Amino acid sequence: MTLSMIREFFEVTKRLDEDPEIRAIVLTGAGERAFSAGGDLKSLLPAALEAGWDILNPDPTARFLSAVFTPVIAAVRGACVGAGFEIMLGTDIRIAGTDSSFALAEVKWGLIPGSGTNVRLPRQLPWAVAMELLLTGSTISADRAAQVGLINQAVEPENVLRTAMDIARRIASNGPVAVRTAKEIAVRSLSPGDAFALEHALNSRVLGSQDAREGVAAFQEMRTPQFTGR
């Protein structure tokens, strides 16, 4: 994901959400290797480090899909990491192939996943599981993701999109006002705006640290980072 792709994602999802003819959205990656391999550390993070604050989320209170009240189903194949993982957390129903894997590796490079994950993940998973993912950077399989409730179900890879589309059709056959209202109540009752703003402020602290610069440099140079805690 580049900065221009992220901005386009916000524009496209807003446009889809405002179209009354669209009853459900299915979100998937291009190809079979990955739902998304995350942010492009060679172009995306250097710009954020240079700015010294979270330029990826210009509105501190909004994140991926946080203002979209049309139901969104994720159809995941392959790697779902970093920014891809953060996008998935903004979806409502998640179908993944058994070949999928999930990770938030940012801490390994002196960063945090600052697009809502620190707020959303502990609300969506048991605390211990959320902290394991946030603090270790470990990768989990589709089977474990289903067991802990990160995804709804893991299916054979060739059935992922078909299963997601079947769910979308079931949603689309229901009363559109009722469906949209049900989601809007669920989203707004959680009131994530203030928590997103807190994440935005503290992520800027991380982006301004020496450790963040060292982590990105280490990634680009394919070496182990040497963190100093500054």
Side-chain angles (χ1 to χ4, degrees), residues 32 38 52 74 117 150:
E32 301 176 351
T117 291
L150 180 63

Side-chain angles (χ1 to χ4, degrees), residues 9-10 13 59 61-69 90 120 183 187-188 192 196:
F9 182 87
F10 276 97
T13 53
D59 181 351
T61 65
R63 295 296 188 273
F64 292 123
L65 301 166
S66 62
V68 173
F69 299 129
R120 284 170 159 167
K183 176 175 178 178
V187 171
R188 289 190 167 180
F196 285 157

Side-chain angles (χ1 to χ4, degrees), residues 24-78:
I25 299 167
V26 175
L27 180 61
T28 193
E32 301 176 351
R33 294 181 59 191
F35 177 74
S36 172
D40 181 1
L41 289 186
K42 293 184 178 180
S43 67
L44 192 62
L45 267 300
L49 293 177
E50 185 66 26
W53 67 287
D54 183 6
I55 62 173
L56 308 185
N57 299 289
D59 181 351
T61 65
R63 295 296 188 273
F64 292 123
L65 301 166
S66 62
V68 173
F69 299 129
T70 303
V72 184
I73 302 104
V76 179
R77 291 287 308 273

